C-alpha cells in the first residue's frame, strides 16, 4: 500500500471519527467521488489479498448462509447474520471504516459509524434497504412485496446500502449531487461503478449469486443516461 493510499484512508477515518462530534467543513471531506471509488477498486483487501484468511472466511460463511432459509428465519437471527456479513464486507472492501467506533462527544461514549437494523414488515413506500445519512443507520426491510427475502437478495441489498454509506464520507456539495442523482433514483455514475465492482467480486466469490447480482446490475445501469445526455460533471457524481 502506497503512502498516498495510507493518507487517504487516514483522512476517511478522520471523517468518520468527527462525524458525530463536529460539523465537518468542506476541507475535511474528500471532494471527488472518483477518488474513493478508485481507492476501493485498487487497494481494498479483496483486491490486494484475494487468498487471505479474511476472504476465505467470508466465502465459507456465505456458503453456509446460502443453505439457510432466511425467509422463515427469526428476524433476530437474520439481523445477527447480516451484522456478521456487514463486518466482513467492511473488512474486505471498505478498510474497516464503516464499522469503526466513532466518538459521540467529549466523553468516552462511542457508537459504530454505521448501525444496522432490520424490519420484518416492509411498508409499501420503502425500498428493501435504506441508508439514512446523518443518523448513519442502514435499515433492511426483510419483506419484499409480500414475501421475505432470501440470502441471494439480502447480501446484495446490504452491499448496496454499504456503498451509499461509503460515499457519505465525501462532500456532496461541489457537483450539484442531489439534483443529479435524483434524476436516477439516487444513484450517480460513481455509485453504479463501485456497486458493479463489488457485485462482480461477490459473484466471483459466491458463484451461485451471479444470476441475481447480474439482474440487479442491469437494473441500475439501464437507468443511467448515456454520456451525451448527462450534465457536465456527471461522471464525478455518486
Amino acid at each position: 500500500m502506497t503512502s498516498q493510499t495510507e493518507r487517504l484512508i487516514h483522512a476517511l477515518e478522520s471523517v468518520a471519527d468527527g462525524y458525530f462530534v463536529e460539523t465537518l467543513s468542506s476541507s475535511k471531506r474528500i471532494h471527488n467521488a472518483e477518488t474513493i471509488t478508485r481507492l476501493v477498486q485498487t487497494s481494498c483487501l479483496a483486491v490486494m489479498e484475494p487468498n487471505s484468511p479474511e476472504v476465505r472466511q467470508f466465502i465459507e460463511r456465505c456458503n453456509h448462509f446460502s443453505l439457510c432459509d432466511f425467509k422463515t428465519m427469526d428476524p433476530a437471527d437474520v439481523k445477527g447474520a447480516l451484522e456478521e456479513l456487514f463486518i466482513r464486507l467492511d473488512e474486505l472492501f471498505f478498510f474497516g471504516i464503516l464499522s469503526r467506533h466513532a466518538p459521540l462527544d467529549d466523553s468516552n461514549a462511542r457508537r459504530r459509524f454505521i448501525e444496522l437494523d432490520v424490519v420484518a414488515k416492509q411498508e409499501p413506500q420503502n425500498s428493501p434497504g435504506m441508508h439514512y445519512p446523518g443518523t448513519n443507520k442502514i435499515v433492511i426491510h426483510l419483506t419484499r412485496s409480500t414475501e421475505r427475502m432470501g440470502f441471494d437478495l439480502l447480501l446484495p441489498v446490504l452491499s448496496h446500502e454499504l456503498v451509499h454509506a461509503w460515499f457519505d464520507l465525501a462532500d456532496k456539495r461541489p457537483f450539484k449531487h442531489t439534483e443529479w442523482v435524483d434524476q436516477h433514483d439516487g444513484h450517480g455514475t460513481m455509485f453504479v461503478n463501485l456497486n458493479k465492482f463489488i457485485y462482480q467480486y461477490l459473484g466471483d466469490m459466491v458463484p451461485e449469486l451471479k444470476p441475481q447480482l447480474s439482474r440487479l446490475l442491469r437494473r441500475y445501469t439501464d437507468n443511467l443516461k448515456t454520456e451525451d445526455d448527462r450534465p457536465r460533471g456527471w461522471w464525478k457524481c455518486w
Side-chain angles (χ1 to χ4, degrees), residues 4-5 8 32-44 47 95 166-167 190 194 197 235:
Q4 182 179 3
T5 298
L8 179 54
N32 191 337
E34 186 183 29
T35 300
I36 59 174
T37 298
R38 188 168 58 248
L39 176 66
V40 175
Q41 292 172 333
T42 61
S43 304
C44 71
V47 171
F95 309 94
W166 176 249
F167 282 124
M190 285 296 103
L194 186 54
F197 171 83
W235 64 273

Side-chain angles (χ1 to χ4, degrees), residues 63-122:
N63 288 336
H64 166 74
F65 287 134
S66 67
L67 300 175
C68 299
D69 187 359
F70 277 75
K71 294 182 178 182
T72 60
M73 190 183 295
D74 185 280
D77 294 332
V78 175
K79 182 179 180 181
L82 292 177
E83 289 276 6
E84 178 186 339
L85 290 166
F86 166 32
I87 300 298
R88 293 185 183 277
L89 287 166
D90 187 33
E91 184 177 42
L92 294 188
F93 295 105
F94 303 111
F95 309 94
I97 294 173
L98 301 183
S99 57
R100 184 182 182 87
H101 281 76
L104 289 175
D105 48 40
D106 293 333
S107 69
N108 292 324
R110 287 178 172 266
R111 58 154 279 188
R112 200 168 63 190
F113 181 61
I114 298 294
E115 293 184 338
L116 179 67
D117 199 6
V118 301
V119 177
K121 183 179 179 180
Q122 183 186 6

Side-chain angles (χ1 to χ4, degrees), residues 206-219:
V206 192
E208 58 265 35
L209 294 182
K210 272 190 176 181
Q212 186 70 272
L213 292 165
S214 297
R215 183 186 66 80
L216 292 169
L217 276 176
R218 285 195 299 273
R219 171 190 165 192

